[in-house]
Amino acid sequence: MSRVRSAFAAAGIAEPALDARILLLDASAIDATELAIRPERPVGEAGAERILAHARRRLAGEPVWRILGEREFWGLTFWLSPDTLVPRPDSETAVEAALRALPRRDAPARVLDLGTGTGCLLVAVLHERPEAFGIGLDRSPGAAMTARRNAVRNGVGDRAALIVGDWAGALSGRFDLVISNPPYIPAPDLAGLAREVREHDPRAALDGGADGLDAYRAILADAPRLLAPGGALVLEIGIGQADDVGALAFARGLRLDETRADLGGIPRALTFR
């Protein structure tokens, strides 16, 4: 592992030791406990080839989780695809806000996830609220298919419908919770994103338009007709967007109910009613 770690460090990878460890565990098909107990355990020729293949992909700029093809989120495991973002720990803040908006674990609820991607937000909420039913919508057929697989993988497939559409324009009915982590990067900023994001995440899931707010405008335009009486809208936001998104929501007759910060203390999820 030391050689891989050194190569990653020399290439300027931000967390060379962590990345090397994760890729080594996957390539050698062992867990962290076994590695700690038997660090000298030989990986064999096939394992060594897999480690080298993983290392080459990482040195070429591919993120660790893309190489593995899956990532844990909210204690659940989600498959990735070229059509989806990699779930990030910061997005668990939106799940926390959603669960506060649906405080009763045993109560029926209708949930809508706009721009579902891997389905991580929807699946996490349904996992914690076993009487809820949810719809995940994404404009990418590939993302909707990935989300469907993840719903089944995590035991909520019978309570989740995944559909393809452009935001909520074609939907009717009312929901107790609408949740979304929409594209929010201003288009002029995309070129300055980290290589791992710029070259491997789908642009459509990043590009929020000229000011980063296009998706919020679309979602908030439909929110009043989509929310059931007492329903909540939870939006994940980018750094510095709280005031702008709040103003857009106020203009649509919504009031800010809660602002939740991520582990870094940055406002990350807004709840409106």
Side-chain angles (χ1 to χ4, degrees):
M1 187 172 79
S2 61
R3 293 181 181 178
V4 176
R5 181 177 62 241
S6 297
F8 287 177
I13 291 174
E15 298 182 286
L18 178 61
D19 286 8
R21 180 181 178 84
I22 293 171
L23 294 177
L24 172 65
L25 291 173
D26 179 75
S28 56
I30 62 175
D31 60 29
T33 301
E34 186 174 359
L35 179 64
I37 295 173
R38 299 179 56 203
E40 76 288 349
R41 177 185 183 275
V43 298
E45 183 177 348
E49 290 178 355
R50 287 194 297 271
I51 292 170
L52 285 174
H54 280 4
R56 291 190 188 102
R57 291 173 66 180
R58 186 68 189 98
L59 289 168
E62 191 170 355
V64 165
W65 307 111
R66 293 281 181 197
I67 296 170
L68 270 55
E70 61 183 29
R71 186 169 192 187
E72 182 178 301
F73 178 89
W74 200 258
L76 308 169
T77 303
F78 291 84
W79 280 306
L80 309 177
S81 76
D83 304 283
T84 67
L85 295 176
V86 177
R88 299 177 306 128
D90 286 344
S91 294
E92 293 188 350
T93 309
V95 177
E96 294 169 356
L99 296 178
R100 282 177 61 86
L102 299 176
R104 288 186 53 192
R105 179 176 172 82
D106 60 346
R110 287 168 51 87
V111 179
L112 172 63
D113 179 13
L114 295 172
T116 194
T118 60
C120 64
L121 299 182
L122 177 66
V123 170
V125 171
L126 295 182
H127 184 267
E128 298 296 330
R129 296 293 181 264
E131 298 301 318
F133 174 84
I135 294 176
L137 182 147
D138 203 288
R139 65 179 62 179
S140 164
M145 186 178 297
T146 301
R148 177 64 193 160
R149 294 178 65 219
N150 283 325
V152 172
R153 179 180 192 177
N154 288 291
V156 300
D158 60 338
R159 295 186 289 116
L162 284 305
I163 60 178
V164 178
D166 189 6
W167 301 119
L171 292 179
S172 60
R174 301 265 183 170
F175 297 86
D176 303 291
L177 171 70
V178 179
I179 188 169
S180 183
N181 176 20
Y184 56 66
I185 306 297
D189 295 346
L190 293 174
L193 295 175
R195 178 186 183 188
E196 287 86 349
V197 175
R198 187 178 67 249
E199 296 182 0
H200 295 279
D201 282 343
R203 183 184 178 95
L206 300 170
D207 189 348
D211 61 358
L213 301 174
D214 282 0
Y216 297 108
R217 294 186 180 95
I219 293 168
L220 290 164
D222 287 319
R225 70 173 178 82
L226 291 173
L227 289 175
L233 169 66
V234 174
L235 297 175
E236 180 169 337
I237 58 172
I239 296 174
Q241 292 182 320
D243 289 344
D244 289 335
V245 175
L248 291 172
F250 181 78
R252 293 290 181 175
L254 300 173
R255 63 174 175 84
L256 179 64
D257 190 60
E258 182 186 27
T259 300
R260 291 188 69 84
D262 60 25
L263 293 176
I266 298 169
R268 185 63 64 182
L270 306 179
T271 302
F272 299 98
R273 295 186 183 274

